[in-house]
């Protein structure tokens, strides 16, 4: 085999390998369908499920609009970890933050 043909075979092999890897990783992460995974097509194709937070003050309750606190609300990120504490800091009059499955006293 001449050098010209060898270099072409190597180039085609590298390109095909690159394309296979680019397709195989997202496809392999696609099939456990119970939750969306980062770096898989589900990350972009599923509708985000956002948690509804409610701020309780001594005189009122207010629903939180997450778009006022986050640039992009994504369904694959758990907001119940740090968002309630953040809301307590941002809203001075807040005495409690509640959401679907919990609450936090400020």
């Amino acid at each position: 085999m001449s050098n010209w043909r060898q270099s072409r075979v190597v180039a085609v092999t590298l390109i095909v390998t690159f394309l296979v890897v680019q397709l195989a990783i997202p496809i392999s992460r696609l099939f456990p369908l119970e939750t969306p995974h980062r770096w898989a097509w589900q990350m972009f194709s599923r509708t985000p499920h956002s948690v509804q937070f409610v701020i309780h003050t001594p005189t009122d309750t207010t629903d939180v609009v997450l778009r006022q606190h986050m640039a992009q609300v994504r369904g694959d990120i758990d907001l119940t970890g740090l968002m309630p504490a953040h809301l307590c800091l941002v809203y001075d009059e807040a005495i409690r933050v509640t959401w679907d499955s919990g609450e936090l006293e400020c």
Side-chain angles (χ1 to χ4, degrees), residues 49-67:
H49 170 64
S50 59
V51 178
Q52 181 62 43
F53 293 100
V54 179
I55 304 287
H56 298 271
T57 63
T59 59
D60 196 15
T61 61
T62 306
D63 290 339
V64 175
V65 178
L66 290 177
R67 296 257 181 228

PDB file of all heavy atoms in Angstrom, residues 49-67:
ATOM      1  N   HIS A  49     -39.192  20.517  34.887  1.00  0.00           N
ATOM      2  CA  HIS A  49     -40.162  20.520  35.978  1.00  0.00           C
ATOM      3  C   HIS A  49     -39.619  21.453  37.046  1.00  0.00           C
ATOM      4  O   HIS A  49     -38.625  21.157  37.685  1.00  0.00           O
ATOM      5  CB  HIS A  49     -40.345  19.117  36.556  1.00  0.00           C
ATOM      6  CG  HIS A  49     -41.150  19.101  37.816  1.00  0.00           C
ATOM      7  ND1 HIS A  49     -42.462  19.472  37.851  1.00  0.00           N
ATOM      8  CD2 HIS A  49     -40.820  18.794  39.083  1.00  0.00           C
ATOM      9  CE1 HIS A  49     -42.902  19.377  39.089  1.00  0.00           C
ATOM     10  NE2 HIS A  49     -41.916  18.962  39.848  1.00  0.00           N
ATOM     11  N   SER A  50     -40.240  22.583  37.187  1.00  0.00           N
ATOM     12  CA  SER A  50     -39.743  23.545  38.155  1.00  0.00           C
ATOM     13  C   SER A  50     -40.538  23.429  39.455  1.00  0.00           C
ATOM     14  O   SER A  50     -41.721  23.143  39.459  1.00  0.00           O
ATOM     15  CB  SER A  50     -39.827  24.961  37.597  1.00  0.00           C
ATOM     16  OG  SER A  50     -41.161  25.274  37.283  1.00  0.00           O
ATOM     17  N   VAL A  51     -39.865  23.669  40.538  1.00  0.00           N
ATOM     18  CA  VAL A  51     -40.466  23.630  41.856  1.00  0.00           C
ATOM     19  C   VAL A  51     -41.088  24.993  42.135  1.00  0.00           C
ATOM     20  O   VAL A  51     -40.525  26.020  41.779  1.00  0.00           O
ATOM     21  CB  VAL A  51     -39.385  23.306  42.913  1.00  0.00           C
ATOM     22  CG1 VAL A  51     -39.967  23.297  44.297  1.00  0.00           C
ATOM     23  CG2 VAL A  51     -38.718  21.994  42.587  1.00  0.00           C
ATOM     24  N   GLN A  52     -42.238  25.006  42.751  1.00  0.00           N
ATOM     25  CA  GLN A  52     -42.888  26.265  43.106  1.00  0.00           C
ATOM     26  C   GLN A  52     -42.553  26.601  44.555  1.00  0.00           C
ATOM     27  O   GLN A  52     -42.932  25.875  45.469  1.00  0.00           O
ATOM     28  CB  GLN A  52     -44.415  26.160  42.935  1.00  0.00           C
ATOM     29  CG  GLN A  52     -45.138  27.438  43.258  1.00  0.00           C
ATOM     30  CD  GLN A  52     -44.723  28.581  42.341  1.00  0.00           C
ATOM     31  OE1 GLN A  52     -44.585  28.412  41.140  1.00  0.00           O
ATOM     32  NE2 GLN A  52     -44.512  29.737  42.921  1.00  0.00           N
ATOM     33  N   PHE A  53     -41.813  27.683  44.753  1.00  0.00           N
ATOM     34  CA  PHE A  53     -41.467  28.144  46.092  1.00  0.00           C
ATOM     35  C   PHE A  53     -42.439  29.233  46.520  1.00  0.00           C
ATOM     36  O   PHE A  53     -42.876  30.051  45.709  1.00  0.00           O
ATOM     37  CB  PHE A  53     -40.038  28.709  46.113  1.00  0.00           C
ATOM     38  CG  PHE A  53     -38.985  27.677  45.889  1.00  0.00           C
ATOM     39  CD1 PHE A  53     -38.394  27.527  44.644  1.00  0.00           C
ATOM     40  CD2 PHE A  53     -38.574  26.845  46.918  1.00  0.00           C
ATOM     41  CE1 PHE A  53     -37.422  26.570  44.432  1.00  0.00           C
ATOM     42  CE2 PHE A  53     -37.603  25.885  46.711  1.00  0.00           C
ATOM     43  CZ  PHE A  53     -37.024  25.746  45.462  1.00  0.00           C
ATOM     44  N   VAL A  54     -42.765  29.239  47.820  1.00  0.00           N
ATOM     45  CA  VAL A  54     -43.653  30.249  48.386  1.00  0.00           C
ATOM     46  C   VAL A  54     -42.950  30.893  49.574  1.00  0.00           C
ATOM     47  O   VAL A  54     -42.452  30.192  50.460  1.00  0.00           O
ATOM     48  CB  VAL A  54     -45.001  29.627  48.832  1.00  0.00           C
ATOM     49  CG1 VAL A  54     -45.906  30.677  49.446  1.00  0.00           C
ATOM     50  CG2 VAL A  54     -45.686  28.940  47.662  1.00  0.00           C
ATOM     51  N   ILE A  55     -42.903  32.217  49.577  1.00  0.00           N
ATOM     52  CA  ILE A  55     -42.307  32.985  50.674  1.00  0.00           C
ATOM     53  C   ILE A  55     -43.416  33.367  51.645  1.00  0.00           C
ATOM     54  O   ILE A  55     -44.430  33.933  51.245  1.00  0.00           O
ATOM     55  CB  ILE A  55     -41.639  34.280  50.145  1.00  0.00           C
ATOM     56  CG1 ILE A  55     -40.611  33.973  49.074  1.00  0.00           C
ATOM     57  CG2 ILE A  55     -41.059  35.091  51.281  1.00  0.00           C
ATOM     58  CD1 ILE A  55     -39.362  33.367  49.575  1.00  0.00           C
ATOM     59  N   HIS A  56     -43.219  33.061  52.917  1.00  0.00           N
ATOM     60  CA  HIS A  56     -44.185  33.428  53.952  1.00  0.00           C
ATOM     61  C   HIS A  56     -43.589  34.557  54.782  1.00  0.00           C
ATOM     62  O   HIS A  56     -42.476  34.424  55.315  1.00  0.00           O
ATOM     63  CB  HIS A  56     -44.491  32.235  54.858  1.00  0.00           C
ATOM     64  CG  HIS A  56     -45.105  31.080  54.120  1.00  0.00           C
ATOM     65  ND1 HIS A  56     -46.458  30.948  53.955  1.00  0.00           N
ATOM     66  CD2 HIS A  56     -44.535  30.020  53.481  1.00  0.00           C
ATOM     67  CE1 HIS A  56     -46.700  29.837  53.261  1.00  0.00           C
ATOM     68  NE2 HIS A  56     -45.544  29.268  52.960  1.00  0.00           N
ATOM     69  N   THR A  57     -44.312  35.652  54.879  1.00  0.00           N
ATOM     70  CA  THR A  57     -43.927  36.777  55.727  1.00  0.00           C
ATOM     71  C   THR A  57     -44.940  36.877  56.853  1.00  0.00           C
ATOM     72  O   THR A  57     -45.964  36.178  56.832  1.00  0.00           O
ATOM     73  CB  THR A  57     -43.890  38.095  54.917  1.00  0.00           C
ATOM     74  OG1 THR A  57     -45.207  38.374  54.437  1.00  0.00           O
ATOM     75  CG2 THR A  57     -42.926  38.001  53.749  1.00  0.00           C
ATOM     76  N   PRO A  58     -44.718  37.731  57.849  1.00  0.00           N
ATOM     77  CA  PRO A  58     -45.711  37.845  58.928  1.00  0.00           C
ATOM     78  C   PRO A  58     -47.096  38.268  58.441  1.00  0.00           C
ATOM     79  O   PRO A  58     -48.107  37.945  59.067  1.00  0.00           O
ATOM     80  CB  PRO A  58     -45.108  38.902  59.849  1.00  0.00           C
ATOM     81  CG  PRO A  58     -43.647  38.855  59.599  1.00  0.00           C
ATOM     82  CD  PRO A  58     -43.505  38.493  58.146  1.00  0.00           C
ATOM     83  N   THR A  59     -47.176  38.951  57.306  1.00  0.00           N
ATOM     84  CA  THR A  59     -48.467  39.461  56.850  1.00  0.00           C
ATOM     85  C   THR A  59     -48.969  38.869  55.547  1.00  0.00           C
ATOM     86  O   THR A  59     -50.130  39.063  55.202  1.00  0.00           O
ATOM     87  CB  THR A  59     -48.378  40.989  56.660  1.00  0.00           C
ATOM     88  OG1 THR A  59     -47.359  41.270  55.691  1.00  0.00           O
ATOM     89  CG2 THR A  59     -48.067  41.682  57.974  1.00  0.00           C
ATOM     90  N   ASP A  60     -48.124  38.139  54.805  1.00  0.00           N
ATOM     91  CA  ASP A  60     -48.519  37.745  53.462  1.00  0.00           C
ATOM     92  C   ASP A  60     -47.761  36.492  53.023  1.00  0.00           C
ATOM     93  O   ASP A  60     -46.794  36.080  53.648  1.00  0.00           O
ATOM     94  CB  ASP A  60     -48.202  38.900  52.500  1.00  0.00           C
ATOM     95  CG  ASP A  60     -48.906  38.776  51.157  1.00  0.00           C
ATOM     96  OD1 ASP A  60     -49.845  37.965  51.056  1.00  0.00           O
ATOM     97  OD2 ASP A  60     -48.506  39.492  50.230  1.00  0.00           O
ATOM     98  N   THR A  61     -48.226  35.892  51.929  1.00  0.00           N
ATOM     99  CA  THR A  61     -47.483  34.825  51.250  1.00  0.00           C
ATOM    100  C   THR A  61     -47.312  35.241  49.796  1.00  0.00           C
ATOM    101  O   THR A  61     -48.206  35.840  49.203  1.00  0.00           O
ATOM    102  CB  THR A  61     -48.217  33.469  51.311  1.00  0.00           C
ATOM    103  OG1 THR A  61     -49.478  33.599  50.668  1.00  0.00           O
ATOM    104  CG2 THR A  61     -48.387  32.998  52.734  1.00  0.00           C
ATOM    105  N   THR A  62     -46.147  34.927  49.237  1.00  0.00           N
ATOM    106  CA  THR A  62     -45.831  35.329  47.866  1.00  0.00           C
ATOM    107  C   THR A  62     -45.241  34.148  47.116  1.00  0.00           C
ATOM    108  O   THR A  62     -44.332  33.491  47.611  1.00  0.00           O
ATOM    109  CB  THR A  62     -44.795  36.482  47.873  1.00  0.00           C
ATOM    110  OG1 THR A  62     -45.281  37.532  48.687  1.00  0.00           O
ATOM    111  CG2 THR A  62     -44.540  36.983  46.476  1.00  0.00           C
ATOM    112  N   ASP A  63     -45.777  33.889  45.915  1.00  0.00           N
ATOM    113  CA  ASP A  63     -45.186  32.880  45.038  1.00  0.00           C
ATOM    114  C   ASP A  63     -43.923  33.462  44.410  1.00  0.00           C
ATOM    115  O   ASP A  63     -43.902  34.607  43.976  1.00  0.00           O
ATOM    116  CB  ASP A  63     -46.160  32.475  43.937  1.00  0.00           C
ATOM    117  CG  ASP A  63     -47.338  31.676  44.465  1.00  0.00           C
ATOM    118  OD1 ASP A  63     -47.218  31.109  45.566  1.00  0.00           O
ATOM    119  OD2 ASP A  63     -48.365  31.620  43.774  1.00  0.00           O
ATOM    120  N   VAL A  64     -42.878  32.646  44.350  1.00  0.00           N
ATOM    121  CA  VAL A  64     -41.604  33.094  43.807  1.00  0.00           C
ATOM    122  C   VAL A  64     -41.575  32.825  42.306  1.00  0.00           C
ATOM    123  O   VAL A  64     -41.907  31.733  41.856  1.00  0.00           O
ATOM    124  CB  VAL A  64     -40.425  32.353  44.496  1.00  0.00           C
ATOM    125  CG1 VAL A  64     -39.108  32.718  43.854  1.00  0.00           C
ATOM    126  CG2 VAL A  64     -40.415  32.672  45.970  1.00  0.00           C
ATOM    127  N   VAL A  65     -41.165  33.825  41.543  1.00  0.00           N
ATOM    128  CA  VAL A  65     -40.942  33.664  40.109  1.00  0.00           C
ATOM    129  C   VAL A  65     -39.460  33.354  39.933  1.00  0.00           C
ATOM    130  O   VAL A  65     -38.603  34.212  40.154  1.00  0.00           O
ATOM    131  CB  VAL A  65     -41.331  34.951  39.348  1.00  0.00           C
ATOM    132  CG1 VAL A  65     -41.056  34.786  37.863  1.00  0.00           C
ATOM    133  CG2 VAL A  65     -42.778  35.302  39.602  1.00  0.00           C
ATOM    134  N   LEU A  66     -39.155  32.105  39.578  1.00  0.00           N
ATOM    135  CA  LEU A  66     -37.758  31.662  39.509  1.00  0.00           C
ATOM    136  C   LEU A  66     -36.955  32.419  38.459  1.00  0.00           C
ATOM    137  O   LEU A  66     -35.748  32.590  38.609  1.00  0.00           O
ATOM    138  CB  LEU A  66     -37.685  30.167  39.239  1.00  0.00           C
ATOM    139  CG  LEU A  66     -38.138  29.282  40.396  1.00  0.00           C
ATOM    140  CD1 LEU A  66     -38.104  27.823  39.983  1.00  0.00           C
ATOM    141  CD2 LEU A  66     -37.263  29.496  41.610  1.00  0.00           C
ATOM    142  N   ARG A  67     -37.591  32.904  37.418  1.00  0.00           N
ATOM    143  CA  ARG A  67     -36.879  33.645  36.370  1.00  0.00           C
ATOM    144  C   ARG A  67     -36.278  34.949  36.904  1.00  0.00           C
ATOM    145  O   ARG A  67     -35.372  35.505  36.306  1.00  0.00           O
ATOM    146  CB  ARG A  67     -37.805  33.953  35.206  1.00  0.00           C
ATOM    147  CG  ARG A  67     -38.295  32.720  34.504  1.00  0.00           C
ATOM    148  CD  ARG A  67     -37.550  32.539  33.209  1.00  0.00           C
ATOM    149  NE  ARG A  67     -38.047  31.350  32.530  1.00  0.00           N
ATOM    150  CZ  ARG A  67     -37.251  30.441  32.038  1.00  0.00           C
ATOM    151  NH1 ARG A  67     -35.967  30.575  32.135  1.00  0.00           N
ATOM    152  NH2 ARG A  67     -37.746  29.390  31.450  1.00  0.00           N
TER     153      ARG A  67
END
